[in-house]
């Protein structure tokens, strides 16, 4: 763990500070989809009108698998009239309920016919999270806890914490070192928790240690049976020609917090880099690549890495 904050700091951020993982949240939502398919609660081939009513025919034909793989044709972000809008950090905190989200999806025009193209869509993952709740009768956070967090030993990940434990939250910083804050201590969430503009697509709070435990759970097969595990990894991992093994390296940011989680299948190398300053983006600045290279050098000179478990 490296302290990557710039300028004067009151308290250095450490591996047990809660930070925002941004779009790495989508990785957990995607994994959750595979788990529920394996349990028989969901089907990748199922149309979304299996779970939702009142959708126009073209939107109703979108499948669960198309939401998972960003091939649904849904735009990235939309306003209350279903019109595409550019991202701002304020967008994440506009109060939007699950029912309002679904109504807005019904009004949105698709960018292309479902399955005929690929376009990154936060909206698609918001909708996927809503469908997971409807299909199971459980909350999104409850599903994550029972299917992923408990199995991986993750105790510090979520949108809200009700176990009475005291936690330290890292405060995001805006240009010039001004304080942006953190959603839980600064009560950025509404009374019903995170907005459905954000839920299932971004914004989960976590620690560096918990992200490493999630990656370890993937490698140890804690979430899926052997057949679905192979399918999941075949669809998620890419071959690194320099390493000669399959790797994954999702990143997420809201423009303030920035997180990169990197994992190698064979050597089980786990590298998590998180920054909390908008002017110090780990991915864009190449910091994550530097840390990963340094970790590989350590791995090659050491018989084994200490386990974060």
């Amino acid at each position: 763990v490296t302290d990557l904050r710039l300028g004067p700091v009151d308290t250095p951020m450490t591996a047990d500070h809660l930070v925002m993982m941004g779009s790495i949240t989508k990785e957990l939502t995607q994994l959750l989809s595979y788990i529920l398919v394996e349990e028989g609660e969901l089907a990748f081939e199922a149309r979304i009108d299996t779970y939702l009513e009142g959708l126009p025919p073209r939107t109703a034909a979108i499948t669960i698998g198309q939401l998972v793989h960003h091939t649904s044709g849904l735009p990235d972000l939309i306003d209350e009239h279903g019109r595409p809008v550019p991202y701002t950090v304020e967008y994440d905190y506009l109060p939007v309920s699950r029912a309002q989200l679904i109504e807005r999806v019904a009004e949105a025009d698709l960018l292309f016919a479902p399955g005929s193209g690929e376009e990154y869509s936060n909206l698609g993952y918001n909708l996927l999270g809503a469908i997971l709740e409807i299909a199971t009768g459980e909350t999104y956070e409850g599903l994550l806890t029972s299917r992923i967090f408990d199995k991986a030993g993750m105790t510090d990940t979520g949108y809200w914490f009700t176990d009475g434990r005291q936690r330290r939250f890292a405060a995001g910083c805006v240009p010039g070192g001004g304080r942006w804050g953190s959603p839980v201590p600064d009560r950025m969430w509404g009374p019903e928790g995170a907005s459905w503009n954000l839920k299932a697509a971004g914004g989960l709070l976590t620690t560096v240690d918990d992200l490493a435990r999630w990656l370890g759970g993937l490698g140890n097969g804690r979430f899926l049976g052997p057949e679905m595990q192979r399918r999941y990894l075949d669809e998620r991992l890419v071959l690194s020609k320099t390493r000669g093994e399959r790797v994954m390296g999702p990143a997420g940011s809201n423009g303030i917090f920035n997180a990169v989680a990197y994992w190698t299948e064979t050597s089980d190398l786990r590298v998590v880099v998180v920054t909390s300053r908008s002017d110090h983006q780990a991915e864009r600045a190449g910091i994550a690549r530097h840390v990963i290279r340094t970790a590989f050098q350590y791995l090659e000179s050491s018989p084994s890495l200490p386990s974060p478990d």
Side-chain angles (χ1 to χ4, degrees), residues 274-290:
V274 181
T275 67
S276 61
R277 291 188 59 138
S278 61
D279 55 355
H280 201 199
Q281 298 292 290
E283 189 178 21
R284 296 175 191 168
I287 297 168
R289 289 192 296 274
H290 172 72

Side-chain angles (χ1 to χ4, degrees), residues 21-248:
M21 70 167 77
S23 285
I24 298 179
T25 302
K26 294 184 181 69
E27 298 289 333
L28 300 184
T29 305
Q30 184 183 70
L31 175 59
L32 189 55
S33 300
Y34 279 78
I35 294 170
L36 294 177
V37 167
E38 185 175 50
E39 292 179 359
E41 298 272 12
L42 206 66
F44 287 129
E45 301 78 16
R47 291 164 45 122
I48 63 174
D49 62 354
T50 305
Y51 312 96
L52 307 173
E53 298 178 351
L55 299 176
R58 196 179 191 205
T59 303
I62 294 170
T63 67
I64 299 299
Q66 288 164 352
L67 292 178
V68 168
H69 296 296
H70 297 284
T71 59
S72 68
L74 286 170
D76 186 22
L77 306 165
I78 58 174
D79 64 15
E80 66 271 23
H81 304 295
R83 298 177 299 211
V85 293
Y87 177 75
T88 65
V89 70
E90 291 78 18
Y91 179 89
D92 292 337
Y93 300 93
L94 296 174
V96 176
S97 68
R98 193 181 80 181
Q100 289 173 324
L101 165 72
I102 296 168
E103 290 173 358
R104 295 178 182 191
V105 168
E107 296 181 17
D109 291 329
L110 300 188
L111 303 178
F112 47 80
S116 67
E118 182 176 346
E119 188 77 23
Y120 189 84
S121 177
N122 277 278
L123 177 63
Y125 265 74
N126 299 141
L127 186 62
L128 178 58
I131 290 172
L132 299 185
E133 287 195 342
I134 293 167
T136 62
E138 301 180 49
T139 66
Y140 173 72
E141 293 92 327
L143 289 166
L144 286 177
T145 299
S146 61
R147 270 61 166 199
I148 297 177
F149 301 161
D150 288 348
K151 293 180 180 179
M154 299 166 65
T155 59
D156 295 307
T157 303
Y159 287 116
W160 201 259
F161 303 93
T162 58
D163 57 9
R165 282 183 50 210
Q166 294 295 313
R167 292 173 169 84
R168 298 193 296 171
F169 295 84
C173 300
V174 295
R179 186 181 188 280
W180 179 77
S182 178
V184 170
D186 294 299
R187 300 193 177 278
M188 296 179 182
W189 305 143
E192 297 181 357
S195 166
W196 277 96
N197 264 3
L198 184 65
K199 194 175 290 188
L204 275 172
L205 293 158
T206 191
T207 64
V208 168
D209 287 340
D210 258 15
L211 278 178
R213 292 187 181 100
W214 160 61
L215 293 172
L218 290 179
N220 295 329
R222 295 181 186 175
F223 310 123
L224 297 165
E227 184 176 344
M228 188 62 80
Q229 171 87 347
R230 284 192 296 272
R231 178 176 177 178
Y232 174 80
L233 294 181
D234 286 347
E235 294 181 1
R236 268 312 283 122
L237 300 187
V238 297
L239 178 66
S240 168
K241 294 181 180 179
T242 57
R243 295 300 308 167
E245 63 177 315
R246 297 195 303 177
V247 304
M248 65 183 294

